[in-house]
Amino acid sequence: MSDKDSSTAKSYLDSAIAQGQSALGSLTGSTGDKTEAAARKDQAATEKDASHSVGKLGPLNVSPSGGVSTDDPNRSEGSYNQTIGSAKESLGGLVGSESLKKDGSQQNAEGKGQEAQGQLSDLGSGVQDRVKGTLGGIGASVTGDREKEEEMRMKHDDAKTKQRSAEADIQKQAEA
């Protein structure tokens, strides 16, 4: 939310300005405008990437803006159940136990559902808390309450981290 932080909205604005600057450079034949537009476009892409990046260590997530969040417990429990379920399936196939394979397959499927439930919970609460943080920050800014404004900025940044972490995991699974 502060000027020094990466922002998706700022990256879109910079990208739009770069497009206009590039068009102006094409119309006027100015290589300077074209070069400046290309640099601004690259900066916008970097800002967008940074605003979507999240460092992850187990269930802990950290963003470049300083936001910190933890995953919904269903995410790690679901992942654990998938791992154990897959191991049971493999072991059942190795030893010829159809019931162990079936149990493993069922546990794996339940784990996928459980993990998805946790991801959706984190995604929804992240979006909701980002909005609350943004609106609360605006309200605090209007009233001049700097302490509350900082508290709301941190709420926004933590929620953004939670949301981006869920989005990254959902995207990885979609690509798999």
Side-chain angles (χ1 to χ4, degrees):
M1 294 211 347
S2 68
D3 292 339
K4 68 177 174 48
D5 295 336
S6 58
S7 164
T8 303
K10 184 176 182 318
S11 73
Y12 289 143
L13 178 62
D14 283 346
S15 184
I17 291 170
Q19 290 290 351
Q21 198 169 20
S22 179
L24 179 64
S26 293
L27 288 174
T28 63
S30 169
T31 56
D33 281 339
K34 289 180 184 179
T35 303
E36 204 173 311
R40 179 170 250 155
K41 186 177 179 183
D42 290 343
Q43 179 184 353
T46 301
E47 287 172 351
K48 182 177 182 220
D49 289 344
S51 78
H52 285 78
S53 67
V54 175
K56 190 167 183 71
L57 180 62
L60 183 66
N61 308 295
V62 181
S63 70
S65 65
V68 178
S69 71
T70 55
D71 290 345
D72 182 290
N74 280 319
R75 289 173 71 179
S76 34
E77 290 170 16
S79 181
Y80 172 80
N81 281 324
Q82 289 175 66
T83 302
I84 297 300
S86 291
K88 284 181 180 178
E89 281 183 89
S90 296
L91 185 59
L94 188 64
V95 298
S97 172
E98 287 302 314
S99 68
L100 187 57
K101 274 177 68 173
K102 184 178 175 185
D103 287 347
S105 178
Q106 182 177 350
Q107 186 172 1
N108 190 350
E110 289 172 357
K112 287 179 182 178
Q114 188 177 17
E115 184 178 21
Q117 180 183 5
Q119 290 168 340
L120 290 176
S121 174
D122 280 350
L123 182 65
S125 66
V127 169
Q128 183 179 19
D129 287 348
R130 279 182 78 182
V131 170
K132 287 179 182 177
T134 299
L135 295 177
I138 291 169
S141 178
V142 168
T143 62
D145 187 343
R146 297 294 169 229
E147 189 174 308
K148 185 72 170 178
E149 189 177 358
E150 178 62 17
E151 178 187 327
M152 291 293 105
R153 185 195 64 76
M154 289 176 64
K155 180 181 187 87
H156 169 274
D157 289 351
D158 291 348
K160 180 178 179 179
T161 303
K162 182 174 283 227
Q163 177 189 346
R164 296 296 189 222
S165 171
E167 288 172 346
D169 285 353
I170 291 167
Q171 183 66 36
K172 277 187 217 170
Q173 289 174 342
E175 292 172 354

